C-alpha cells in the first residue's frame, strides 16, 4: 500500500471492462479498440493495475518489452475521480524503476499531451528522429 493505493501486476485483478471503456470512450489513442483487442493486448504485455484501499481498480498501464533491450510504455491512465493526487506520477516512477526493467536500454512511449510528465522520468524527444521509422495500420 502506497499512500492509500497499491500497484499490482496481477492480471487477474484487472477490470478489463473499465480498461476497455476508458480506452475506447475517454482516451484519444484507444478509440475503436474492441474488448477482444484490449484483452489480447493485456495478455501480451506486463500490466500494472492501480487499486485504492478497498481494492477498487482505478488506474492502468502496460509495457510491451523483451525485458532486456526495449520497453514500450502504453495505455497509461488514471480514472478521473483519482486524478490530481500525483498517482499518475507515482505509477510512471514505479514502472520505470521496476526491477523487471533493470537492463532496458531503450524506452519508448507516444503522447500527445503529457510531455512534461514523462520528461521528469528521463523521456525526451528522439535524439535522431531520422533513424526512427514506423508502420501504422490506419483504420476508419
Amino acid at each position: 500500500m502506497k499512500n492509500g493505493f497499491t500497484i499490482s501486476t496481477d492480471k487477474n485483478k484487472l477490470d478489463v471492462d473499465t480498461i476497455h471503456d476508458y480506452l475506447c470512450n475517454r482516451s484519444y489513442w484507444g478509440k475503436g479498440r474492441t474488448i477482444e483487442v484490449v484483452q489480447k493486448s493485456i495478455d501480451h504485455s506486463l500490466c500494472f493495475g492501480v487499486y485504492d484501499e478497498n481494492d477498487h481498480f482505478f488506474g492502468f498501464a502496460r509495457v510491451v518489452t523483451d525485458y532486456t533491450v526495449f520497453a514500450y510504455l502504453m495505455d497509461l491512465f488514471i480514472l478521473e475521480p483519482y486524478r490530481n493526487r500525483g498517482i499518475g506520477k507515482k505509477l510512471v516512477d514505479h514502472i520505470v524503476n521496476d526491477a523487471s526493467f533493470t537492463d532496458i536500454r531503450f524506452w519508448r512511449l507516444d503522447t500527445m499531451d503529457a510531455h512534461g510528465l514523462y520528461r521528469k522520468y528521463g523521456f525526451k524527444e528522439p535524439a535522431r528522429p531520422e533513424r526512427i521509422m514506423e508502420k501504422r495500420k490506419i483504420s476508419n
Side-chain angles (χ1 to χ4, degrees), residues 56-102:
H56 181 259
F57 172 84
F58 70 88
F60 177 74
R62 66 188 182 94
V63 178
V64 177
T65 185
D66 61 8
Y67 295 96
T68 306
V69 177
F70 183 77
Y72 193 156
L73 178 58
M74 304 180 75
D75 293 339
L76 190 144
F77 68 85
I78 302 296
L79 294 177
E80 291 83 354
Y82 295 88
R83 290 187 185 167
N84 300 313
R85 300 181 196 179
I87 298 169
K89 293 175 187 172
K90 290 178 179 142
L91 177 57
V92 174
D93 184 69
H94 178 89
I95 293 169
V96 299
N97 290 301
D98 188 284
S100 300
F101 305 129
T102 302

Side-chain angles (χ1 to χ4, degrees), residues 25-76:
N25 298 314
R26 292 182 265 170
S27 78
Y28 63 82
W29 66 87
K31 303 245 184 266
R33 291 187 197 173
T34 65
I35 189 81
E36 293 81 13
V37 166
V38 170
Q39 183 63 61
K40 189 173 182 181
S41 70
I42 289 169
D43 292 344
H44 297 283
S45 303
L46 178 59
C47 298
F48 296 82
V50 187
Y51 306 87
D52 67 16
E53 57 277 349
N54 297 316
D55 216 28
H56 181 259
F57 172 84
F58 70 88
F60 177 74
R62 66 188 182 94
V63 178
V64 177
T65 185
D66 61 8
Y67 295 96
T68 306
V69 177
F70 183 77
Y72 193 156
L73 178 58
M74 304 180 75
D75 293 339
L76 190 144

